[in-house]
Amino acid sequence: MSESPAPRRTSKPRVVVTRHLLPSIEARLGELFDATFNQADLPLTHEQLVAAVQEADVLVPTVTDRIDAELIAAAGPQLGLIANFGAGVDHIDLAAARARRIIVTNTPGVFTDDTADLTMALIIGVPRRLREGTALIRRHEWTGWAPSVLLGRKLGGKVLGIVGMGRIGQAVAWRARAFGLTIRYHNRHRLPQAIETMFGAEYVEDLDTLLRDADIVTLHAPATEATRGMISAERIASMKPGATIVNTARADLIDYEAMIAALESGHLGGAGLDVFPQEPKVDDRLVALPNVIAQPHIGSATVEGREASGEKVIANIRFWADGHRPPDQVLEGLF
């Protein structure tokens, strides 16, 4: 039997923030709520998270926190809101939250352009061998212009395969069209024809077909039971020789062992990566490969985006504390 939602407090709700946010956001949270911050800015241990949910009315986690069923079961009866800092909620057990009648919110849309910009930088940077060029300069080994040195691949006319055509996938398509890329996409559902026309995008129902035809594949799907490992060893082997993989979404989408083997063998031409299976550890083999541009999970790392996300967290908490439905509620039927 499900429990009743946690009662609202007449005093300021106690809010636990699991990571260090922008000073302006923390100052605002401190003014409005009884807020506790993680000034060390290191991921909280499981024990620390348990202590937080046993005392807090509101938990503000990030993607680095695993809010699983065990943690939610340990929460005190006063925990009524998990106000996630970020759009993705695959690190939160939504079924367990629903069972406890705990409302979950996120911050959708604020990182769309930021992530799309970084994705486009990788789409350009890997085929044009920017990592290798930068390394050449840093080693003081550049001997001057030559007609056959560091030859990359042009973008115009190449096929960009977008896996996941939500907000970020569409923002990437909009940018990629300006570079003359041919846009094809795979999605759970086909987009309306008007949107396809706007992006010049062609729907490919079969993922295997898309992967075989694309020169560059960029991933923008959430990590779910259906998508984990979707870029498997078999699918990587079926890709065009010399193709590029770009992943600014979730590491779980790719078989990284198979991808590394394909990069080392030369089957794949390169990779642009912003997410990794065991962050912050990055596999030494990836670091050593000159045709891999690896970034430290900075897709959303802009001042503007992080500030906008913080403002959405504050708005969601305020609506909830005032007894109203939060604007970015993820689970339906709980308010």
Side-chain angles (χ1 to χ4, degrees):
M1 181 178 292
S2 63
E3 300 179 16
S4 299
R8 304 290 185 270
R9 287 191 174 186
T10 56
S11 58
K12 289 183 177 181
R14 183 170 184 188
V15 176
V16 175
V17 184
T18 67
R19 296 300 297 265
H20 180 46
L21 306 182
L22 289 182
S24 60
I25 298 302
E26 290 194 345
R28 186 74 172 138
L29 284 165
E31 291 172 3
L32 294 169
F33 315 115
D34 177 11
T36 301
F37 304 105
N38 177 7
Q39 298 299 345
D41 201 28
L42 296 173
L44 298 183
T45 65
H46 179 74
E47 291 73 20
Q48 289 172 319
L49 284 171
V50 168
V53 297
Q54 287 178 344
E55 297 294 331
D57 302 301
V58 180
L59 181 72
V60 180
T62 72
V63 67
T64 61
D65 302 303
R66 186 182 178 196
I67 314 300
D68 57 16
E70 180 185 353
L71 182 68
I72 291 172
Q78 81 293 329
L79 184 69
L81 175 64
I82 299 173
N84 188 59
F85 181 89
V89 292
D90 46 273
H91 57 295
I92 301 172
D93 191 320
L94 297 180
R98 177 183 288 280
R100 284 288 305 271
R101 304 288 293 175
I102 297 171
I103 294 171
V104 177
T105 61
N106 65 344
T107 62
V110 296
F111 298 134
T112 297
D113 286 333
D114 302 331
T115 306
D117 287 344
L118 180 67
T119 301
M120 201 64 220
L122 296 173
I123 288 171
I124 298 167
V126 174
R128 292 304 306 268
R129 302 175 67 179
L130 295 190
R131 175 184 172 179
E132 294 166 84
T134 300
L136 194 67
I137 295 289
R138 288 183 178 276
R139 294 195 304 265
H140 303 287
E141 295 177 1
W142 183 43
T143 58
W145 183 90
S148 59
V149 173
L150 277 178
L151 300 181
R153 296 288 182 178
K154 69 182 296 181
L155 294 182
K158 298 297 191 298
V159 175
L160 175 66
I162 300 177
V163 181
M165 199 66 160
R167 288 188 184 95
I168 296 174
Q170 291 179 36
V172 170
W174 183 257
R175 288 157 172 75
R177 189 177 185 186
F179 285 84
L181 284 154
T182 298
I183 312 298
R184 295 178 186 164
Y185 76 95
H186 173 79
N187 203 46
R188 284 181 301 170
H189 307 290
R190 183 172 184 173
L191 298 177
Q193 185 174 354
I195 295 179
E196 291 184 346
T197 301
M198 179 172 64
F199 295 129
E202 177 187 345
Y203 176 62
V204 180
E205 184 175 5
D206 180 55
L207 177 59
D208 294 304
T209 299
L210 179 73
L211 294 176
R212 284 196 302 268
D213 292 345
D215 298 291
I216 303 169
V217 173
T218 181
L219 306 179
H220 302 288
T224 67
E225 290 303 319
T227 63
R228 286 186 178 91
M230 66 192 304
I231 309 302
S232 61
E234 293 76 16
R235 282 175 165 160
I236 290 171
S238 75
M239 293 175 65
K240 281 184 177 181
T244 295
I245 288 180
V246 173
N247 188 10
T248 59
R250 291 288 187 264
D252 290 352
L253 303 178
I254 303 178
D255 182 334
Y256 267 61
E257 283 294 326
M259 180 184 66
I260 291 170
L263 287 164
E264 290 179 331
S265 72
H267 174 64
L268 288 178
L273 307 170
D274 190 44
V275 289
F276 304 92
Q278 296 177 322
E279 295 182 12
K281 178 177 171 56
V282 178
D283 194 295
D284 289 337
R285 293 170 294 173
L286 283 174
V287 176
L289 286 165
N291 55 344
V292 173
I293 297 180
Q295 295 298 305
H297 205 148
I298 60 168
S300 64
T302 68
V303 172
E304 296 86 351
R306 296 283 167 86
E307 186 170 34
S309 184
E311 292 293 349
K312 275 186 171 284
V313 167
I314 291 170
N316 284 321
I317 298 173
R318 292 190 73 178
F319 270 74
W320 173 83
D322 290 341
H324 303 298
R325 174 190 168 92
D328 300 305
Q329 183 170 322
V330 174
L331 297 172
E332 296 297 327
L334 294 184
F335 208 97

